Amino acid sequence: MTVEAWVAPRAFEWGDEGKPSTVVNQQDKAARRGFSLGVGRHGVWQFGIGTGDAWYETAVPQAAALAAGEWAHIAAVFAPTEGTISLYLNGEQVARTAIPTTARLAKADVPLLIGRHNQPAIINGTFAVNMFNGQIDEVKVHTDALTSESVRAGHKHDMQTFAGGSIPDARMAMDRSRYDGDRYRPGYHFSAPNHWMNEPHAPIQVNGKYHLFYQHNSHGPYWHNIGWGHAVSEDLVHWRDLPVALAPTAGSVAPDGVWSGDATLDENGVPVLLFTAGNDSQRPNQATGLARPADPGDPDLVEWKMHPTLVTSQVADLDVGAGRRVRFGDFRDQDVWKEGDTWFQLVGSGVQTTSGQSVGGTALLYTSKNLTDWTYSGPLMVGDVEAHPKTGQVWELPTFLPIGKDDQGRQRRALLVNPSFPDGPAEYSSKYTYYWVGTWDAQARRWTPDTTEPKLLDYGDHFTGPSGTVDDKERSLVFSIAQDRRTERAHYDAGWAHNAGLPVQLSMRPDGDLGVGPVEEVSRLHVGEPLLNINEPTSIADANARLADIKGDMLHIKLTLERGSADTFGLDVLRSPGDEERTRLFYDAPAGQLGVDRTRSGNNSGVDANLGIQKGPLTLSNGELSLDVFLDRSMIEAYANAHKSITTRAYPFRQDSLGLRLFGDGSVVKSMTIWKMGNLTD
């Protein structure tokens, strides 16, 4: 028999359970019956055939592997009378394996499937993988063994049918419109065009354009096969999708994963990416790799080339203090910046006692004069997981950004970390971002936090994975991943998982603490005139009368409330007419706390059984609470008094949970403006 097809893979699967992503198959390998033509890791393709008593398989060498994003003609010839299985790429033989001349195909009693494995591996109990990702055309199954001349002639004939005799481009752009009508998928918060994303990272501004990268699995909405997605923007709020920038690649420093990192400019002003390079053949399997643009003049910086060697590797005997050792094997998520003629690099890790007890997370500090040769300086800071359990045994995504200078001219910075819990408990995972504010002396390589007490940046349980940059306006900007905390089944049904929070700007408050608020560019998402504009003191009742006809789940609400005599006051969003469902943003004046009450939010597809109430300390400003609230379908973000934020999610069951209502008799509406919001791709 002969099996052939034209294929254009978008990306290559991991090859779970050693199974290929099938192009065409009718196989039961365990029973040694049927056949399979498929693609394995890094584009290495193969053909297998069962005779009932044996399974014969041959694969091409890496030199004949398929290239992502390009059409190719592949053919497999099973010729038992000649005693061979032969593989052909674009008409040329690239592999040949001897088999017994007595071998005969034993048919498998299963369906013939194109693009999907007969017996796939299952990820997270939900996702059937070993599925071809890309385009397939002209699948042919012949009942005879074609000769080399016939395969070559067939390929030549196909080439003659193409315009100009050239293989056409493979159209691989992912179409966001497939999600139109999804009531939970945000419209103006950045998301991957398809499937899975986690941390957006390595933000950088180059020639006036903002580039953002993110952890991405182009095969489905689950964590696996991670590479770097890429998008570009001129205003931080409207984004254009670009091809995947980095992917696990055979023969590179990152054959098994390209995980979070950062970006900076080299000595010539050319952007450079530093990433966590995954290589499971090494221990630890995490190190720092570097990539440069293939064409620095390309305004979109579409293509990137990995440096051939690692630039930073973790060693077991790093000095992290007397009686301590580094947590060997946890070494990821670079943060890179330059001061003077020196680049600094932070890498997330953990510290243990020499007996193996967790001390806390850490950010390891390195310096370099050229971005490829790095010198270890020591831990920038070490956490205390016993005193502060929610800060984790490992720190991920350390982000170290300037926020101004103090009265003595000392540089003030904020250190943000994402706690990780490899030793548990799982209940704290993917919920928190903690920070410290202090002074930084670059010459002495010394960071002095104001206090060792960690502070929670966002009170909503969904702001994690910070990554930052300083733009040409000298703003310290932070991007985050807004965990959706949905079930695996919900991810499967929706076809996507997670999205980014809005970019936020850090500042130094008069009291020295960290301030956080939305970037001014969010106003560019406003559509038309305001739906409501209250600009003089108004009672809660009168304001609610004016709110009665305003409905929506893509809104920006700017609100200032004066406490007055109210103890608890605030705003309900995504509210049903009878108050059966609503998400409540509130201020508890006696307790001095800002919070969100999701006990009535609706939890259609959420992984948490009880959404509960989340809150944290906030001091009013002259008795007033000023809120910037962003509703974006399942996303709710609220920024209070330019100091604290709440990032949270809601999945209402009811279609009519679209209303707004103020509460807190005795409080006064000083001002309130509401805009409809447009989409990030408009």
Side-chain angles (χ1 to χ4, degrees), residues 263-330:
T264 189
L265 300 176
D266 70 10
E267 65 278 6
N268 298 313
V270 175
V272 175
L273 306 181
L274 286 95
F275 57 89
T276 304
N279 186 341
D280 291 341
S281 68
Q282 298 179 355
R283 186 171 183 273
N285 69 341
Q286 303 165 9
T288 304
L290 182 147
R292 298 180 183 274
D295 177 9
D298 174 10
D300 284 342
L301 300 172
V302 170
E303 187 177 356
W304 296 80
K305 298 293 186 184
M306 293 185 191
H307 192 69
T309 58
L310 297 170
V311 298
T312 318
S313 296
Q314 188 185 39
V315 294
D317 61 353
L318 281 181
D319 182 4
V320 291
R324 296 177 172 184
R325 69 186 189 195
V326 73
R327 191 172 178 119
F328 191 63
D330 288 295

Side-chain angles (χ1 to χ4, degrees), residues 6-7 70-73 90 155 158-159 162-170:
W6 280 91
V7 296
E70 297 180 11
W71 281 106
H73 179 255
N90 294 327
H155 178 259
D158 285 351
M159 293 294 293
F162 300 145
S166 299
I167 297 175
D169 292 336

Side-chain angles (χ1 to χ4, degrees), residues 14 41-42 215 223 226-228 247-260 275-290 306 310 312 329 331-334:
W14 189 260
R41 293 190 66 188
H42 304 142
Q215 298 283 268
W223 193 93
I226 297 297
W228 280 30
T249 304
S252 75
V253 296
D256 299 311
V258 187
W259 303 314
S260 294
F275 57 89
T276 304
N279 186 341
D280 291 341
S281 68
Q282 298 179 355
R283 186 171 183 273
N285 69 341
Q286 303 165 9
T288 304
L290 182 147
M306 293 185 191
L310 297 170
T312 318
F331 188 79
R332 54 188 176 271
D333 306 339
Q334 297 73 17

Side-chain angles (χ1 to χ4, degrees), residues 186-190 502 525 554-555 630-632 677-680:
Y188 61 87
H189 285 76
F190 181 78
L502 288 174
L525 291 164
M554 287 181 64
L555 302 174
F630 297 90
L631 303 183
D632 194 3
M677 298 290 269
N679 286 295
L680 68 94

Side-chain angles (χ1 to χ4, degrees), residues 205 402-404 469-477 505-506:
Q205 189 181 28
I403 59 172
T469 191
V470 179
D471 72 357
D472 59 9
K473 298 178 182 178
E474 297 187 353
R475 297 180 298 180
S476 287
L477 305 175
Q505 181 177 349
L506 302 185

Side-chain angles (χ1 to χ4, degrees), residues 210 234-238 471-477 502-506 516-526 556 558 628 630 639 675 677:
Y210 295 94
E234 295 184 1
D235 65 2
L236 286 173
V237 292
H238 294 96
D471 72 357
D472 59 9
K473 298 178 182 178
E474 297 187 353
R475 297 180 298 180
S476 287
L477 305 175
L502 288 174
V504 296
Q505 181 177 349
L506 302 185
V516 60
V519 295
E520 62 182 1
E521 287 89 342
V522 294
S523 63
R524 300 187 184 187
L525 291 164
H526 293 167
H556 176 198
K558 201 170 182 64
D628 258 316
F630 297 90
Y639 299 90
W675 296 268
M677 298 290 269

